[in-house]
Amino acid sequence: MKAISISAFGAADVLELADAPTPEVRPTDLLVRVYAAGVNRADLTHRTGGYGHPNFGDSPIIGLEIAGEVIGKGDEVKDFEIGDRVMGVVGGGAYAELARIDYRMAMPIPAQLDYVHAAAIPEVFVTAHEAMMHLARLKSGDSVLIHAAAGGVGSAAVQLAYATGATVYATTDGSKLARVEHLGADTAIDYKTQDFAQVIADKTHGRGVDVVIDFVGEPYFARNIASLAHGGRLVQVGILGGGGKVSVELEHILYRHLQIIGTVMKSRTQPEKHDMIKRFRAHWLDRFEGAGSLEPVVDSTFPLSRAADAHRRMESSENVGKIILTMQPADLV
């Protein structure tokens, strides 16, 4: 099969199309002919050596998110058959014609979705649900501030918050404000020209928001704390602005009853990941069909052979929603 190979860590140019062996199917695996794969920030970290080793836990091939057709399965697989259309999160190996996936990490593709849009769902919507609904316990009538709202997880979080009945504040680049509002944000904030903490204070008359979902990290931390209401929850999902150190007055945590929660899917145990998929599937999977359905947001598609260009697109931060690799035969040349 064809797959993307990384001979050395580095810039996008290290991504090369090469031959690779078909993955071995274990008892709980599905073997999937991949038609589309999502590109994620974790892939950039993998490519540049941020995880310190060439394989991502389960495969020497890069990539965490697939959509395709089941062509084989292990003896312990339940509820899936050959020919089923599936999407899901893999422990590596997505940038390839064939990939294996633990059946408990797979979900059926809603009937109205093609493979490209299906590949835009698993990683970002599961992460958004886990952070905002499960950990932060967002409910109807609450308010939430979502940073990086035009990105993959951010755009998913905006939709889930809107569907839940929350008041949604969202930060993004000024050129993307209208798009973020279309996804469900009540107030879109240009992070380059506006102080989001001041906007939150003004809009909420000093109360603050119940939940903050942040992907940026240290540069936003103090203002995130200031933007929380009494009993508010900050969920740290990423550190795009750099890790570094943060400081906080413990009195604010104590007397305002604040909670600071961190979450990263890739460091969860396999049973925890199974539970994350199960929770998302139970709450939202059927909401991708019919009127008023959730919308997998696709920014652009690239053939697998142009994986380097897909990474450059993500590094530019110009995308709104997901960047998808496609694996049609004509793309594998």
Side-chain angles (χ1 to χ4, degrees):
M1 70 173 185
K2 294 293 186 181
I4 292 297
S5 169
I6 302 177
S7 57
F9 296 131
D13 311 54
V14 302
L15 301 177
E16 298 179 343
L17 192 66
D19 292 314
T22 297
E24 177 186 353
V25 178
R26 299 161 300 193
T28 59
D29 283 338
L30 302 172
L31 182 63
V32 177
R33 183 171 301 284
V34 181
Y35 292 115
V39 177
N40 292 283
R41 286 278 171 184
D43 301 343
L44 306 186
T45 303
H46 180 181
R47 191 202 75 217
T48 55
Y51 299 122
H53 48 82
N55 67 318
F56 204 109
D58 197 41
S59 173
I61 298 169
I62 191 172
L64 298 173
E65 186 175 33
I66 64 169
E69 180 185 355
V70 177
I71 61 171
K73 65 175 188 173
D75 295 339
E76 297 177 17
V77 169
K78 301 176 182 178
D79 303 322
F80 290 99
E81 300 296 338
I82 306 299
D84 285 351
R85 299 193 322 141
V86 297
M87 59 187 183
V89 178
V90 295
Y95 289 22
E97 286 185 276
L98 302 174
R100 65 185 181 189
I101 181 172
D102 184 318
Y103 79 93
R104 292 158 294 191
M105 298 295 291
M107 296 175 280
I109 296 175
Q112 73 180 42
L113 295 181
D114 58 25
Y115 288 115
V116 167
H117 286 82
I121 292 175
E123 181 81 15
V124 295
F125 275 94
V126 170
T127 298
H129 172 82
E130 189 70 11
M132 192 170 59
M133 313 307 300
H134 182 66
L135 296 176
R137 307 181 305 283
L138 187 76
K139 62 184 184 303
S140 178
D142 282 350
S143 54
V144 58
L145 169 62
I146 300 168
H147 291 300
V153 181
S155 62
V158 169
Q159 292 187 70
L160 297 187
Y162 173 79
T164 299
T167 299
V168 183
Y169 302 92
T171 65
T172 189
D173 181 87
S175 65
K176 304 173 183 177
L177 294 174
R179 182 58 174 150
V180 169
E181 289 172 345
H182 170 76
L183 292 173
D186 296 277
T187 301
I189 304 165
D190 183 348
Y191 74 91
K192 292 182 179 178
T193 63
Q194 296 174 281
D195 179 349
F196 68 80
Q198 187 60 56
V199 174
I200 295 299
D202 292 343
K203 291 285 187 179
T204 64
H205 305 290
R207 176 189 180 274
V209 295
D210 299 293
V211 173
V212 175
I213 304 297
D214 183 44
F215 308 88
V216 178
E218 186 274 333
Y220 281 11
F221 185 79
R223 285 183 289 163
N224 285 337
I225 295 296
S227 298
L228 285 172
H230 183 91
R233 288 84 69 195
L234 165 63
V235 183
Q236 198 68 49
V237 184
I239 47 174
L240 295 176
K245 297 181 179 180
V246 298
S247 61
V248 61
E249 294 185 32
L250 289 177
E251 288 82 356
H252 287 311
I253 306 297
L254 294 173
Y255 300 131
R256 293 169 56 200
H257 296 269
L258 305 182
Q259 297 178 49
I260 302 171
I261 306 165
T263 180
V264 177
M265 185 189 291
K266 66 178 177 290
S267 62
R268 298 287 190 96
T269 65
Q270 201 64 19
E272 288 174 326
K273 292 178 182 178
H274 297 164
D275 288 341
M276 291 172 67
I277 296 293
K278 189 182 300 183
R279 284 190 286 267
F280 169 77
R281 182 173 175 173
H283 279 87
W284 299 110
L285 190 59
D286 61 356
R287 298 287 294 273
F288 287 91
E289 297 186 282
S293 59
L294 296 171
E295 174 188 356
V297 182
V298 174
D299 171 80
S300 51
T301 63
F302 294 83
L304 184 63
S305 58
R306 292 180 55 204
D309 289 333
H311 275 220
R312 294 186 189 102
R313 174 69 179 171
M314 177 162 280
E315 289 170 331
S316 75
S317 296
E318 294 178 357
N319 60 297
V320 176
K322 293 286 292 187
I323 300 165
I324 304 295
L325 297 174
T326 59
M327 286 74 164
Q328 297 299 330
D331 298 338
L332 303 171
V333 294

